[in-house]
Amino acid sequence: SSKLPESRTRLSRRSPPAEAMAEPAQKKAKTERRFLFSSESVNEGHPDKICDQVSDAVLDTCLMTDPKSKVACETATKDNMVMVA
């Protein structure tokens, strides 16, 4: 029979600390939430501004219809075409 390398054996025996297991899942989830905020700036008339306006209009329409709706909307533009996916 073959043996696992020592480092692999140690990794497979690891278990989470007792205090992590003792916390309720709901409390643990609240303490681990992290958010990243980013933004971009482009001039008026830039294709990204047009795409943002189209995506916002789709989102606004969905939220007016169903305030609890979840929406994923991608908008792309090239020359005289706008694609909404």
Side-chain angles (χ1 to χ4, degrees), residues 34-61:
R34 294 183 186 191
F35 297 94
L36 174 65
F37 177 80
S38 67
S39 64
E40 64 181 6
S41 178
V42 294
N43 292 333
E44 188 176 329
H46 190 279
D48 282 352
K49 287 263 191 198
I50 296 166
C51 290
D52 287 345
Q53 287 180 341
V54 171
S55 295
D56 288 347
V58 170
L59 174 64
D60 290 343
T61 303

Side-chain angles (χ1 to χ4, degrees), residues 7-85:
S7 62
R8 196 168 212 185
T9 304
R10 268 189 264 130
L11 286 176
S12 65
R13 291 183 188 165
R14 280 188 160 172
S15 59
E19 60 272 3
M21 293 175 69
E23 287 183 42
Q26 196 173 29
K27 183 178 179 185
K28 185 177 178 185
K30 286 183 181 178
T31 60
E32 292 181 5
R33 294 182 77 182
R34 294 183 186 191
F35 297 94
L36 174 65
F37 177 80
S38 67
S39 64
E40 64 181 6
S41 178
V42 294
N43 292 333
E44 188 176 329
H46 190 279
D48 282 352
K49 287 263 191 198
I50 296 166
C51 290
D52 287 345
Q53 287 180 341
V54 171
S55 295
D56 288 347
V58 170
L59 174 64
D60 290 343
T61 303
C62 291
L63 290 174
M64 281 191 305
T65 306
D66 179 8
K68 293 183 178 182
S69 64
K70 294 178 177 25
V71 181
C73 181
E74 287 291 329
T75 307
T77 183
K78 180 168 174 35
D79 299 329
N80 291 323
M81 178 196 73
V82 175
M83 178 184 69
V84 180

